[in-house]
Amino acid sequence: MAKPETEHFTKADAQALLEEVFAPWVQKLGLKTLGEESARHVFLLPAGDDLVRKGGPGGGVVCGQALAAAADTVSVLALAMINGRMRPNTTTDFSIRFLRPIAGGPVRIEVEPLSNGKRLAVTEVFFFAEGSEKPGAHATCTFAWLD
């Protein structure tokens, strides 16, 4: 993994980046930057009625579209924290697997960078329902650096 350019990009900077750069509908996810634990960057997707399926089979669980958007977003934020700045990028590949239902409560998100090269970066993202040690979803994201 490439060495960070600076050590001064904090979780507060990542939170500010989320609020200043990302589209309004992404901001409405309410993602929170919690910090770093064991080489993983940790985020929180708060509980919210807007993110939960409304009935029928699977009612009351966080919808997959919200998890997919969160995976891409927190990956960009984690990479900014690693690189010490927001590097211009675009998503080139994205895959998500839904492993078990995640109830409508808060969701813990852990991002592990797998690669951070000159041209590409790859992250692995895990989603955990509140109080669960088992991931409810797993995503991989690949980004092309545009600078």
Side-chain angles (χ1 to χ4, degrees):
M1 198 166 337
K3 187 175 181 179
E5 293 181 15
T6 177
E7 300 289 332
H8 303 301
F9 197 90
T10 67
K11 69 179 186 177
D13 294 327
Q15 194 66 42
L17 182 67
L18 176 63
E19 295 165 6
E20 294 169 9
V21 174
F22 288 86
W25 71 268
V26 174
Q27 294 176 11
K28 287 181 183 178
L29 291 172
L31 293 163
K32 302 292 180 206
T33 306
L34 299 181
E36 187 176 357
E37 296 175 13
S38 303
R40 286 187 178 179
H41 293 270
V42 182
F43 300 86
L44 180 72
L45 177 63
D49 290 339
D50 291 344
L51 306 180
V52 175
R53 292 188 54 180
K54 297 291 181 207
V61 301
V62 178
C63 71
Q65 296 91 335
L67 296 177
D72 189 79
T73 304
V74 298
S75 290
V76 169
L77 295 174
L79 289 167
M81 291 171 73
I82 291 164
N83 291 317
R85 67 182 174 95
M86 170 72 170
R87 290 181 67 186
N89 67 78
T90 188
T91 305
T92 60
D93 188 57
F94 178 87
S95 176
I96 190 164
R97 284 147 302 285
F98 301 103
L99 307 172
R100 58 189 47 85
I102 298 177
V107 180
R108 180 181 172 87
I109 307 170
E110 298 180 5
V111 181
E112 184 172 343
L114 300 179
S115 170
N116 186 23
K118 286 184 177 182
R119 300 279 181 225
L120 292 175
V122 179
T123 62
E124 187 172 39
V125 185
F126 297 91
F127 296 87
F128 299 89
E130 185 175 38
S132 178
E133 296 293 321
K134 295 181 179 180
H138 171 258
T140 54
C141 307
T142 304
F143 302 90
W145 297 123
L146 302 175
D147 56 356

